[in-house]
Amino acid sequence: MKEKIRDTATKLFLERGFKSITMDDIANEIGISKKTIYSEYSNKTELVEDCVMHKYCDMSEGIDLIIGMDENPIQELYEIKKYVLSHLNDEKTSPQFQLMKYYPKIHKNINSMHYNKMHKCVLSNIERGVQQEIYRDNLDSEFIARIYYSGLNSIKDQNIFQQNRFPVSKLMDSFLEYHLRGIVSPKGKKILNIIINSNQE
């Protein structure tokens, strides 16, 4: 039952936000009493933390599987982007910012884990791209890893990138192309153009 509660709550939180979804909403969605939820979770904060941590671990494992496929580094980033979008329901209510506002301790913890994971993945991606000569050989990989993380978080700010003007999927595509065009070699540029053209068909 705990797994069903967590999965249902996660779905609702991502669709409608951490603030607006109540324990009653979750109970009604499953068709159980609120008391049943409280037998598994002492309060909503505990449930939110379990949902967030489980989602992070699930997505982290999925990203590791994509990296393990040993695609070229440019294709790898597009596969990761596609995977993340499919698991976050396009972040319709910007859950990251709701988490930061209403559950700051959980946000701080998950943000630290997310940064460490992404930093490691981007550094590895850059290293392999340079080795394969599809990224420029004079890159400052530490700068690139940090600016990539910073940019990815910034485009989620709906005060800057309003969703009605910048749909999440298109925004992610634009950001990824922006990132890659700054680091690819002439050889990598050809690969990038092929991927972009194939995605537009």
Side-chain angles (χ1 to χ4, degrees), residues 111-141:
N111 211 38
S112 176
M113 293 170 66
H114 182 231
Y115 171 77
N116 290 332
K117 174 73 176 182
M118 183 177 288
H119 185 256
K120 181 181 176 182
C121 288
V122 175
L123 284 178
S124 172
N125 183 275
I126 293 169
E127 182 182 326
R128 286 180 288 115
V130 171
Q131 287 173 351
Q132 296 176 29
E133 299 182 343
I134 60 175
Y135 293 163
R136 292 186 287 110
D137 61 7
N138 62 342
L139 296 175
D140 182 339
S141 56

Side-chain angles (χ1 to χ4, degrees), residues 32 96 104 106 114 133 136 148 165 178 191 194 198 201:
I32 59 174
Q96 176 184 336
I106 298 173
H114 182 231
E133 299 182 343
R136 292 186 287 110
Y148 183 75
R165 186 175 176 186
Y178 178 83
I191 296 171
I194 290 170
S198 67
E201 289 175 357

